[in-house]
Amino acid sequence: MAARVILSMYTEEKIGDTSPSSGLLDALERPQKIHRVVQEAILLAGGAVAILLQVADPGVARGVDDHSNFAYRPLDRLRTTMTYVYCVTFGTRDEKKAVIEMVHRAHAPVNGPGYSADDPKLQLWVAATLYAVGIELYQEMFGVFEDADAEAIYREYSVLALSLRVTPDMWPPNQKEFWKYWDNQIATMDVTDNAKSVAKDLLRNKEAPLQIRLVLPLVRLTAAQMLPDRLRQAYGLKSSKIRRASYRLLMGFTKATYPCLPKTIRTYPMKYYMRDMRRRLESTA
């Protein structure tokens, strides 16, 4: 189905209205190929990279730094993001409606001088990072998509943006246009003190549980190698021949082993977060 046909299924929502339109919910029932990507646990390995890319936008950085607390609740943003991503792609119509309304309510108070969590441009960038990081990791593990599948998955990823105030005309119509948008964003991003504060809490979190602190060296290594050079340098992350070789070794080992894991293991995080979401929805019913 052509990109514009899919996008035209969505109707715009007014800022301040937490209830998603029926047109949006109709369209959210249609994605199929995106399941193939989103269900894979390997995408969680790019969580830190996606966050660092997101907060490279000064508006996102101010909102996260002013209204989140990575130091004391490092797993909250991961839980919120993955619940949203998994629900929008795998949930029932009622579950999607409930989660979208929940996200809109959570975003409503997140605003201040120069930023608002309901700003469609900021939401577009957040969704773009989820697509770019997710597709890179998936193809690293399983190989590059055929052109038709690549475009279909790209079109379906638009649901992550369009359920967050982004209007259909804002999501680039094809991959070529998306990467033009992406390159322009990377070239013009400004890593502010707010972004560096978030990065410190994310990558060097002394308040995190021990099991998280133990894997932070790998998180820093992955983030440094996956980020574009300009942003890596702005965040003060180091790269060297030894670090690059270590990253290639890590990715080579992961690529050789991860696809061989049983699907039940590779999809466990998706099932876990979906169960968690359903428990929370039941408790508020």
Side-chain angles (χ1 to χ4, degrees):
M1 188 178 293
R4 287 302 163 193
V5 175
I6 290 180
L7 297 185
S8 67
M9 294 175 182
Y10 298 81
T11 58
E12 295 184 25
E13 300 169 65
K14 295 180 180 179
I15 299 299
D17 181 9
T18 64
S19 182
S21 67
S22 60
L24 171 61
L25 293 171
D26 288 343
L28 287 177
E29 294 182 359
R30 289 170 170 76
Q32 297 176 351
K33 291 184 179 293
I34 190 178
H35 293 173
R36 176 178 166 188
V37 177
V38 171
Q39 69 180 352
E40 295 291 343
I42 193 63
L43 270 61
L44 295 176
V49 180
I51 291 172
L52 293 175
L53 286 164
Q54 290 164 17
V55 299
D57 184 297
V60 178
R62 290 196 67 179
V64 174
D65 196 26
D66 290 349
H67 295 270
S68 298
N69 193 331
F70 272 88
Y72 294 96
R73 307 175 72 179
L75 296 179
D76 277 6
R77 187 173 179 87
L78 175 65
R79 180 192 192 191
T80 301
T81 300
M82 297 318 299
T83 296
Y84 165 71
V85 170
Y86 291 139
C87 182
V88 168
T89 50
F90 291 98
T92 66
R93 184 186 180 91
D94 287 343
E95 289 168 350
K96 291 170 182 176
K97 181 176 184 292
V99 166
I100 291 170
E101 289 176 346
M102 191 182 304
V103 171
H104 287 338
R105 286 195 299 270
H107 282 174
V110 181
N111 59 79
Y115 72 91
S116 168
D118 277 328
D119 184 339
K121 290 183 179 179
L122 300 187
Q123 296 291 9
L124 173 63
W125 176 240
V126 169
T129 67
L130 297 177
Y131 168 74
V133 173
I135 213 70
E136 177 179 348
L137 283 169
Y138 185 93
Q139 291 187 128
E140 182 72 27
M141 295 297 109
F142 296 99
V144 177
F145 290 115
E146 297 289 337
D147 289 346
D149 281 345
E151 284 294 340
I153 290 168
Y154 167 73
R155 290 194 298 269
E156 292 185 358
Y157 251 94
S158 66
V159 301
L160 300 184
L162 300 180
S163 53
L164 290 177
R165 311 291 192 192
V166 177
T167 57
D169 59 294
M170 293 177 68
W171 185 255
N174 53 54
Q175 285 185 298
K176 182 178 179 180
E177 293 302 315
F178 174 86
W179 293 117
K180 286 182 180 179
Y181 160 78
W182 180 266
D183 290 342
N184 181 68
Q185 290 291 101
I186 295 298
T188 56
M189 286 292 166
D190 181 18
V191 176
T192 62
D193 289 341
N194 294 115
K196 292 175 183 177
S197 175
V198 173
K200 180 180 178 182
D201 286 344
L202 179 65
L203 301 177
R204 303 183 186 279
N205 192 334
K206 296 180 180 180
E207 306 296 334
L210 177 61
Q211 63 270 29
I212 294 179
R213 297 201 305 272
L214 289 175
V215 301
L216 285 182
L218 288 178
V219 173
R220 289 194 293 271
L221 174 66
T222 300
Q225 301 309 314
M226 287 189 68
L227 282 172
D229 287 345
R230 179 176 179 272
L231 298 185
R232 176 182 57 76
Q233 293 171 8
Y235 279 116
L237 296 173
K238 297 179 180 179
S239 183
S240 65
K241 288 184 178 180
I242 293 177
R243 287 185 172 88
R244 288 191 291 273
S246 298
Y247 177 73
R248 288 195 297 270
L249 182 63
L250 173 64
M251 293 304 290
F253 174 77
T254 306
K255 184 176 181 178
T257 56
Y258 176 81
C260 299
L261 294 174
K263 189 175 180 180
T264 53
I265 295 177
R266 302 198 328 258
T267 59
Y268 176 78
M270 179 269 290
K271 295 172 182 175
Y272 170 82
Y273 282 110
M274 288 295 288
R275 287 196 301 269
D276 177 67
M277 174 206 67
R278 285 167 178 149
R279 284 196 299 267
R280 284 190 286 158
L281 290 180
E282 288 175 3
S283 68
T284 58

